[in-house]
Amino acid sequence: MVKFAAIDFETANEKRNSACSIGVVMMNDTEILDESYSLINPLAPFRSRNVYIHGITEEQVEEAPTFAELWPTLSTYLEDTILIAHNASFDMSVLRQSLYKYDMPCPNYMSLCTVKISQLLWPELENHKLHTVANYHDIPLNHHHAMDDARASARIFLAALAEQRIGTTEEFLERWLNSKRAKTARKQKAKTTKLYF
């Protein structure tokens, strides 16, 4: 059975290597199996804008583990899983940059974005922000709390799997990955195409 981990980070400032909290939701293709949440000491300054968004302060993380200290435990959750996130490019970037910060290798995780999936499956929504999609599916949400955001992403993904109704989970993933590959190929072609006037 395919394993998934929905993840969400909050950051202390504008830098992607300043993670100050993480929520992880372990799941298969039908249900949530386990959850984990931790504050993270980013060893970096907190910006007032970020604190306003998520409510985490520098004082609250003083005794929290650093990302390097948390990683051995976190990596066991993420091993052999497909990562799910709402706006996955952000969360995957935070994961990569946090590992680079401590000179740790970054595994090559497969990731899926519930923003993109929601845009494909529910195009009628006014937007595809997390709170909008969560509200559409009656999913409770304390937005910008990493645990709540990860849990909402997990439930949105389960709703997508239930609604697509065509084939197995593996076939759903293959269709999604093929669409990602096609989009990447188009971007690469656009970059290499030169126009002469």
Side-chain angles (χ1 to χ4, degrees), residues 86 114-115 117-125 127-141 151-165:
H86 207 76
T114 49
V115 172
I117 292 171
S118 298
Q119 288 170 340
L120 287 173
L121 290 180
W122 305 295
E124 70 277 11
L125 298 183
N127 62 62
H128 295 85
K129 296 177 180 179
L130 184 58
H131 66 272
T132 302
V133 185
N135 185 61
Y136 178 74
H137 291 287
D138 296 319
I139 297 169
L141 178 64
R151 191 182 296 121
S153 297
R155 290 179 176 172
I156 289 167
F157 183 67
L158 290 176
L161 286 176
E163 187 160 320
Q164 55 95 24
R165 300 190 190 94

Side-chain angles (χ1 to χ4, degrees), residues 31-125:
E31 63 182 339
I32 290 173
L33 303 173
D34 195 12
E35 297 180 347
S36 177
Y37 172 77
S38 181
L39 291 173
I40 303 171
N41 187 336
L43 303 178
F46 279 65
R47 298 282 183 258
S48 57
R49 180 179 182 276
N50 295 65
V51 174
Y52 176 78
I53 290 171
H54 53 58
I56 301 169
T57 65
E58 200 160 347
E59 293 72 27
Q60 290 174 322
V61 302
E62 284 178 353
E63 302 300 320
T66 65
F67 187 87
E69 292 167 336
L70 187 63
W71 180 244
T73 301
L74 181 59
S75 62
T76 62
Y77 274 91
L78 304 185
E79 187 175 2
D80 298 323
T81 65
I82 297 171
L83 301 188
I84 309 292
H86 207 76
N87 189 15
S89 61
F90 172 80
D91 294 286
M92 294 304 295
S93 176
V94 173
L95 178 58
R96 286 193 303 271
Q97 293 302 320
S98 296
L99 287 165
Y100 295 158
K101 180 176 180 175
Y102 295 101
D103 296 318
M104 295 187 291
C106 183
N108 186 26
Y109 290 113
M110 182 191 301
S111 65
L112 298 172
C113 179
T114 49
V115 172
K116 303 297 185 186
I117 292 171
S118 298
Q119 288 170 340
L120 287 173
L121 290 180
W122 305 295
E124 70 277 11
L125 298 183

Side-chain angles (χ1 to χ4, degrees), residues 178-190:
N178 283 338
S179 71
K180 284 180 71 176
R181 290 185 196 111
K183 186 175 181 180
T184 300
R186 287 194 298 270
K187 283 184 177 179
Q188 289 300 114
K189 185 176 180 181

